Amino acid sequence: MRYSLLEYDALSYVWGSLKGDRQILCDDKHIFVTENCEEALRHLRLVDRSQKLWIDAICINQGSMAERNQQVNLMGDVYKLSTRTIIWLGKDNRMTRNLFWEMAVFVSRFLDIFESQWFSRVWTLQEFVLSLDPVV
């Protein structure tokens, strides 16, 4: 169970350019964000209700090196305590979305391999690491 005073979704995305040149309105203030951030916001916007999003470029004062350094230490908690993390891969692209889900299934199945007893023994891992050409 997660304990958070505030329910919010966290956005995982890449900025693209380092400087925001797209103006948006956030809490009655005009701020500049990158094109990729703006696209994510437009795509995720709910027309029937408000939502709380944690977006690094908006929630962290990018003009303050001290605040940025402090926030870096909190990033793990930001994502752990979020209701969910929205992964923005870019403009809607069915192939990218399908590939992402296929990759998630692959990783899940790959992790199942580590349930084998072979991975629970130090010497077997040592044999693998020391081998020049291990074959499975």
Side-chain angles (χ1 to χ4, degrees), residues 50-90:
S50 65
Q51 66 189 118
K52 292 177 180 73
L53 293 172
W54 188 91
I55 302 172
D56 58 355
I58 296 172
C59 295
I60 299 172
N61 179 358
Q62 299 302 316
S64 168
M65 186 59 78
E67 182 173 337
R68 286 172 37 198
N69 288 339
Q70 179 190 20
Q71 292 295 321
V72 164
N73 294 325
L74 303 174
M75 295 293 280
D77 288 337
V78 166
Y79 288 94
K80 271 191 246 177
L81 296 173
S82 67
T83 304
R84 65 183 178 159
T85 298
I86 300 168
I87 300 170
W88 176 252
L89 300 175

Side-chain angles (χ1 to χ4, degrees), residues 57-131:
I58 296 172
C59 295
I60 299 172
N61 179 358
Q62 299 302 316
S64 168
M65 186 59 78
E67 182 173 337
R68 286 172 37 198
N69 288 339
Q70 179 190 20
Q71 292 295 321
V72 164
N73 294 325
L74 303 174
M75 295 293 280
D77 288 337
V78 166
Y79 288 94
K80 271 191 246 177
L81 296 173
S82 67
T83 304
R84 65 183 178 159
T85 298
I86 300 168
I87 300 170
W88 176 252
L89 300 175
K91 290 181 182 175
D92 193 20
N93 180 328
R94 182 171 295 166
M95 186 176 78
T96 302
R97 192 170 49 244
N98 289 342
L99 181 60
F100 183 81
W101 287 114
E102 287 176 22
M103 187 173 66
V105 169
F106 171 78
V107 168
S108 174
R109 289 180 180 160
F110 178 76
L111 292 176
D112 288 344
I113 292 171
F114 291 102
E115 291 182 15
S116 165
Q117 273 194 325
W118 188 89
F119 288 97
S120 67
R121 305 290 185 239
V122 173
W123 66 83
T124 55
L125 294 174
Q126 179 178 319
E127 293 164 357
F128 171 74
V129 170
L130 295 175
S131 295

